[in-house]
Amino acid sequence: REQAAKRVLEIAIPYVMEHDVWRGDNTLLHRDGREIPVTQLVMLHRDADGKPEFLSTIMQDITERKRTEIELQQQLDFRKTLLDAMYDVGLQVMVIENGAIVHVGNRKLARQFGYSDADIDGPTPLMDIIHPDDRPRLAEYYRRRLAGEAAPANYEMGLITRSGERREFEVAVAVIPNTDPVRMVTVSKDITERKQREMIIAEQLEVERRFSRMADHIPGFLYTFKVDENGQACFPYASSG
């Protein structure tokens, strides 16, 4: 193969003449046309006076190693594609070790929380980003996992931004097997807006229940009247009477 011969003539031999030994990857051409990847060692042998006498080379077939490298790279590419897709929908992936965040996957989301690259590269104490109201509960979960005890794998909690704003997150946590010190991976999603909508709906339902109970005990019908900021009027509740 011309490229393989060129590699030896233009790279390996000039290097060997100066340094006595060259090692690198190359290819051989099988008689059926297949390329065989090899690792090649080229050595310079000198005579008693130290002058170059001849060259020798040793090659080892590394077909299996190359196949393994390709498979590993494919797995890495798949994982990267999967993580990129998770980040695109707003998921955050973090690795926890010794009570600190040692890896942040979605750097864009972390920056939106007001954290700098220095903060992201950490390590940052885990409890520093958890809202004070939730720290005792999360600290207990963490203690249980370290001790090998049962702890919830999915839950909701509050995180705090650099500005002190509380954001609601849904979290899944798993211990990474065979790690010492113990490492945990978390996958989380910001559900603040969803929780706010749920709260508004719950408040509306509670208002309807109260007015429904009142309507059962008064003649006629009962309704509420509301004018929004655009001047549009509506009746959020009207009894059946």
Side-chain angles (χ1 to χ4, degrees):
R1 187 169 179 262
E2 293 183 3
Q3 187 176 353
K6 185 177 180 180
R7 181 173 176 80
V8 173
L9 293 173
E10 297 185 2
I11 298 177
I13 291 179
Y15 187 91
V16 166
M17 298 306 294
E18 183 177 352
H19 301 283
D20 290 350
V21 177
W22 175 87
R23 183 192 300 272
D25 289 350
N26 212 337
T27 55
L28 296 178
L29 187 63
H30 194 278
R31 65 174 59 187
D32 62 9
R34 290 182 296 111
E35 288 187 350
I36 303 173
V38 299
T39 181
Q40 184 173 11
L41 178 68
V42 181
M43 297 171 288
L44 172 64
H45 300 264
R46 300 178 182 274
D47 60 19
D49 296 326
K51 295 179 181 181
E53 188 172 10
F54 64 94
L55 297 173
S56 66
T57 185
I58 300 173
M59 298 183 188
Q60 181 181 10
D61 187 337
I62 56 172
T63 302
E64 290 302 318
R65 192 192 81 186
K66 286 294 185 181
R67 183 179 294 116
T68 301
E69 289 176 354
I70 291 173
E71 292 174 351
L72 288 174
Q73 186 59 52
Q74 290 174 339
Q75 292 176 10
L76 290 173
D77 291 343
F78 172 77
R79 291 174 184 174
K80 182 180 184 303
T81 300
L82 181 62
L83 288 173
D84 287 344
M86 293 170 61
Y87 301 155
D88 287 343
V89 296
L91 294 179
Q92 179 62 281
V93 177
M94 297 188 297
V95 177
I96 314 299
E97 179 184 302
N98 289 327
I101 302 167
V102 297
H103 173 76
V104 175
N106 194 337
R107 300 176 74 90
K108 179 181 178 181
L109 183 60
R111 293 190 188 101
Q112 291 175 353
F113 266 51
Y115 292 96
S116 66
D117 285 340
D119 297 324
I120 297 171
D121 293 334
T124 299
L126 175 62
M127 292 301 157
D128 283 4
I129 70 167
I130 296 176
H131 193 276
D133 292 347
D134 293 334
R135 285 175 186 170
R137 176 169 60 96
L138 271 296
E140 175 61 15
Y141 291 169
Y142 188 75
R143 183 199 66 77
R144 290 184 194 175
R145 291 191 188 91
L146 287 179
E149 301 173 2
N154 303 88
Y155 49 83
E156 295 178 2
M157 68 176 186
L159 299 182
I160 51 176
T161 66
R162 272 297 194 198
S163 63
E165 176 190 2
R166 177 183 175 117
R167 302 290 297 182
E168 303 299 328
F169 269 75
E170 186 174 39
V171 185
V173 185
V175 175
I176 302 175
N178 305 315
T179 52
D180 185 17
V182 175
R183 280 194 165 194
M184 304 174 194
V185 61
T186 70
V187 179
S188 57
K189 182 176 180 61
D190 191 333
I191 58 171
T192 304
E193 283 69 30
R194 189 190 82 188
K195 298 294 287 187
Q196 291 172 344
R197 290 193 298 270
E198 290 174 352
M199 185 177 298
I200 291 173
I201 292 172
E203 291 174 349
Q204 292 174 342
L205 291 174
E206 178 59 28
V207 169
E208 290 181 8
R209 282 193 291 268
R210 290 203 306 267
F211 276 103
S212 179
R213 288 194 295 268
M214 293 173 60
D216 291 340
H217 297 86
I218 62 174
F221 70 95
L222 187 66
Y223 67 87
T224 59
F225 181 78
K226 178 181 179 182
V227 179
D228 64 23
E229 58 185 12
N230 297 319
Q232 295 180 331
C234 65
F235 297 88
Y237 173 80
S239 67
S240 58

